[in-house]
Amino acid sequence: MTEHLAVDGGTIAYEVTGSGPLIVLAHGMGDSRDAYRALAPLLVAAGHRVAAVDLRGCGESSTDWPDWSRTAVAGDLLAVVRHLGGPAVLVGHSFSGGAATIAAAREPALVTAVVELAPFTRAQTVRPGDLRVGRYRRGMLRLAGAGGLGSVRLWRAYLDVAYPGAKPAHWGERLARVDTLLREPARMRALRAMGRSAPADAGAQLAHVRRPVLVVMGTLDPDWADPRAEGAAIVAALPDGLGRLELIEGAGHYPHDQCPDEVAALVLAFLRPGAARA
């Protein structure tokens, strides 16, 4: 059941299932909490209370916001954690991976651990030779076209590359939900605004994180020419011993939806007492 939390500037929609230690799931731009439809039940079955959040401007959250930065979204996530009686594990995908980083650095008392799924948490640069990697070139061209033109068609074309290989069984429903949301002009504006928001604010906070961080990357993620190198760079920017990188072979930019069993296993192993710092 959808619930709404009033925060400064609007309302955030979320849904809570299960009981136990709290995990808050935050999706990427152009999406909704539906992105976690496959992962959330696995975490609930393992004994967690799971809150799946619609980011500002997305899903069922309100659309008129003055700020679309990761710092602003971090404030929303912390408000949800406070409201639900944290602390919580924050799981952030793509754009919201950076927001989870900022939240953990700002209020460590509310965050027990961070899981970053294919996160944009550092300033990005295109290196010589990157565009020779076909999946990266195709993904970036479609992503840039979707954001630049506000094109739902190009966003769907990007998703086709971002889910390499076999699509999930619910792929048709997934695309229909994305299509319905992004045909609302205000929600497409949110996607474009988030796309213009650079992750420098998140990168500046990596050294200040004091909670364990798990970074999960798909080896075929089209958002980076070398996903392993991007994940390793995030771990290297964290304080020594806090970060761990895990790779999922054959996964793209949405490992939690494409390979939910593998992601759940990684997350649950990471959260076992003593394991995060092992």
Side-chain angles (χ1 to χ4, degrees):
M1 182 178 68
T2 303
E3 300 182 61
H4 291 86
L5 176 66
V7 299
D8 187 22
T11 59
I12 298 297
Y14 65 96
E15 181 177 3
V16 181
T17 52
S19 60
L22 180 61
I23 298 178
V24 173
L25 306 176
H27 59 80
M29 71 180 197
D31 214 333
S32 72
R33 66 182 192 268
D34 182 66
Y36 287 106
R37 61 183 292 173
L39 179 63
L42 300 176
L43 301 177
V44 169
H48 289 274
R49 180 168 56 129
V50 176
V53 176
D54 286 330
L55 300 191
R56 53 175 59 196
C58 303
E60 297 179 75
S61 293
S62 61
T63 57
D64 186 17
W65 299 85
D67 187 351
W68 299 98
S69 67
R70 288 161 177 80
T71 297
V73 171
D76 299 339
L77 298 180
L78 289 169
V80 171
V81 173
R82 285 192 207 94
H83 178 69
L84 294 177
V89 175
L90 292 184
V91 178
H93 169 239
S94 195
F95 177 97
S96 64
T101 294
I102 295 168
R106 280 176 49 184
E107 297 206 35
L110 290 178
V111 179
T112 55
V114 176
V115 178
E116 301 195 5
L117 305 171
F120 276 93
T121 312
R122 304 184 320 125
Q124 300 294 299
T125 58
V126 179
R127 298 166 299 180
D130 282 355
L131 291 176
R132 288 198 291 270
V133 179
R135 60 176 167 72
Y136 176 73
R137 183 176 64 252
R138 290 190 299 274
M140 288 302 97
L141 287 174
R142 296 175 190 190
L143 195 57
L149 301 173
S151 169
V152 177
R153 180 184 64 82
L154 286 175
W155 182 256
R156 288 180 57 139
Y158 161 74
L159 289 177
D160 187 58
V161 177
Y163 281 77
K167 302 296 192 281
H170 57 264
W171 181 242
E173 295 175 33
R174 178 96 166 94
L175 285 185
R177 176 65 172 155
V178 169
D179 193 88
T180 297
L181 289 171
L182 292 184
R183 291 196 184 281
E184 297 180 32
R187 303 209 185 278
M188 176 55 80
R189 284 196 297 272
L191 180 153
R192 300 177 76 183
M194 288 182 182
R196 292 191 296 269
S197 175
D201 55 349
Q205 293 299 325
L206 282 167
H208 303 296
V209 173
R210 295 295 180 266
R211 294 292 182 257
V213 179
L214 172 66
V215 179
V216 179
M217 306 291 287
T219 60
L220 297 182
D221 191 328
D223 284 39
W224 293 278
D226 188 344
R228 179 192 294 270
E230 179 63 24
I234 293 169
V235 170
L238 291 163
D240 288 348
L242 281 192
R244 177 190 304 177
L245 172 63
E246 296 285 355
L247 299 168
I248 297 183
E249 192 67 35
H253 192 59
Y254 294 79
H256 50 296
D257 194 38
Q258 194 175 11
C259 308
D261 292 320
E262 292 178 68
V263 171
L266 290 172
V267 171
L268 294 171
F270 173 67
L271 296 181
R272 276 199 288 269
R277 293 180 181 273

